[in-house]
Amino acid sequence: MPIRIDNDLPVKKILEQENIFVMDENRAMSQDIRPLDILILNLMPLKEDAELQLLRSLSNTPLQVNISFIRTVSHEAKNASQSHLERFYTDFNSIKDRKWDGLIITGAPVETMEFEEVEYWDELTKIMDWSKDNVTSTLHICWGAQAGLYYRYGVAKIRLEKKFSGVYKHYTFHKRTPLVRGFDDSFLVPQSRYTGVDKEAIVNNPLLEIVAESKITGPYLIIGEEGKNIFVTGHPEYDTITLDQEYKRDLAKGINPDIPVNYYPDDNPENKPIKSWRCHANTLYTNWLNYYVYQQTPYEWTKKA
């Protein structure tokens, strides 16, 4: 897929080096095509890392996609330069008066806090309310999934006895569901979280459907209102070394973390991790863009009832 992003976005060079088709603004304007407009609310502290991971994952469809980034204004990012944020990000007030084909809400390192205690909770809920009438489909990732399930459907967050960290085996249900088309019977997903979601509350809600889960980490892919909202409780977009970086960061903090499950060869942190989840990650994002955004969004939003 040709991803259309700002010509000066720093991760553009990395994507091109990885042979990912990135379309510049001039070429995009020359094509007589209606691209998809995807908005990414990036709540991750390392903004550029999250940008790169998500753009990789969105790069495997023949559709042309325009990517725009927004950030919260009620929280000051401490790990991203102000110049980067001012150059490549906008805020909710700047985008709220138009329609969007898709919205991605990322995870955030605030999962041990109560939702209402998060500094930007009111701003986030305002965006989620707005998306009901202004976005075709919203994809929520990790903490973003927990926040969305809680705010939209009243599904509680559950504190785990110990952190899920590693690459876990997951299984699909209802293989005809478009979101999991092309998935194998089992597949691997990185998980990195201290909290989970209330499975019973999801099962008992007629608006929600679990389509993939892990026997260890619980529900993984949840569809709300036939795809209006989609929740991904893990991190399929993670790079090969992301869990390694988190593990060594926690060691340096004296947290004494467990070695990530099924991640290092021979469970030896001295060994280089092997990425074993990219195919299913790419398929997930491709299916979301195709079946829940492209196939559902109107060519002209004004014609949507």
Side-chain angles (χ1 to χ4, degrees):
M1 172 194 72
I3 302 175
R4 181 185 173 188
I5 56 178
D6 192 296
N7 291 345
D8 297 325
L9 190 70
V11 299
K12 181 174 182 285
K13 292 181 179 179
I14 301 175
L15 294 167
E16 290 173 334
Q17 290 169 359
E18 295 178 1
N19 202 31
I20 291 175
F21 185 9
V22 181
M23 180 176 289
D24 64 34
E25 294 169 329
N26 294 332
R27 180 170 180 180
M29 291 178 64
S30 71
Q31 292 192 328
D32 187 15
I33 189 173
R34 189 326 205 152
L36 296 177
D37 289 315
I38 304 297
L39 190 64
I40 299 177
L41 173 59
N42 189 356
L43 302 174
M44 296 294 280
L46 300 177
K47 303 296 184 190
E48 292 188 51
D49 287 356
E51 292 163 13
L52 180 59
Q53 292 169 10
L54 287 169
L55 292 175
R56 281 195 189 113
S57 298
L58 293 167
S59 67
N60 288 278
T61 109
L63 305 170
Q64 185 187 132
V65 180
N66 291 343
I67 303 292
S68 299
F69 292 99
I70 62 169
R71 61 187 176 98
T72 57
V73 297
S74 48
H75 171 74
E76 182 179 349
K78 299 179 177 62
N79 297 292
S81 71
Q82 192 63 31
S83 60
H84 183 84
L85 295 175
E86 291 176 356
R87 174 68 179 82
F88 301 109
Y89 282 71
T90 187
D91 58 36
F92 174 61
N93 284 334
S94 301
I95 58 87
K96 65 182 177 62
D97 294 327
R98 55 165 294 191
K99 307 291 187 178
W100 294 82
D101 302 308
L103 167 66
I104 296 175
I105 301 175
T106 73
V110 293
E111 58 180 309
T112 58
M113 300 172 62
E114 295 298 324
F115 291 116
E116 291 82 2
E117 294 176 355
V118 175
E119 188 176 13
Y120 47 80
W121 180 248
D122 289 344
E123 188 175 359
L124 175 59
T125 57
K126 184 183 296 185
I127 293 171
M128 287 194 280
D129 285 339
W130 164 85
S131 71
K132 294 176 184 178
D133 297 319
N134 295 281
V135 176
T136 299
S137 179
T138 300
L139 184 70
H140 312 67
I141 303 172
C142 202
W143 181 83
Q146 296 180 358
L149 284 167
Y150 172 74
Y151 184 70
R152 297 183 191 275
Y153 303 104
V155 176
K157 178 174 61 175
I158 298 173
R159 183 67 182 257
L160 303 173
E161 293 183 4
K162 62 189 298 187
K163 181 182 182 180
F164 289 141
S165 176
V167 182
Y168 297 84
K169 185 177 289 188
H170 292 65
Y171 302 88
T172 57
F173 303 105
H174 317 298
K175 292 189 175 112
R176 291 188 177 182
T177 303
L179 190 63
V180 293
R181 283 183 185 166
F183 278 44
D184 293 323
D185 291 342
S186 66
F187 58 98
L188 299 173
V189 179
Q191 296 278 358
S192 179
R193 51 190 170 89
Y194 291 92
T195 53
V197 294
D198 184 346
K199 179 179 178 179
E200 184 177 357
I202 297 171
V203 171
N204 290 333
N205 190 320
L207 297 176
L208 298 173
E209 178 186 22
I210 300 171
V211 295
E213 72 174 4
S214 163
K215 294 178 181 177
I216 297 174
T217 65
Y220 167 57
L221 297 178
I222 303 113
I223 297 177
E225 300 170 71
E226 300 182 344
K228 176 67 176 175
N229 295 297
I230 292 176
F231 306 93
V232 183
T233 64
H235 279 291
E237 78 285 351
Y238 263 12
D239 287 340
T240 307
I241 63 170
T242 305
L243 287 173
D244 176 69
Q245 292 172 333
E246 292 180 352
Y247 172 68
K248 292 175 179 175
R249 176 201 63 199
D250 289 349
L251 279 177
K253 290 181 177 179
I255 296 176
N256 193 28
D258 290 342
I259 295 173
V261 173
N262 193 31
Y263 180 57
Y264 298 109
D266 301 321
D267 286 333
N268 183 352
E270 297 300 318
N271 293 332
K272 182 179 179 180
I274 297 173
K275 189 162 191 176
S276 53
W277 58 89
R278 175 165 283 178
C279 289
H280 282 86
N282 289 345
T283 302
L284 171 64
Y285 283 93
T286 297
N287 286 349
W288 174 65
L289 281 174
N290 182 20
Y291 296 114
Y292 298 91
V293 181
Y294 176 69
Q295 301 292 344
Q296 302 299 323
T297 200
Y299 187 84
E300 294 182 27
W301 263 96
T302 55
K303 292 183 179 179
K304 187 171 183 179

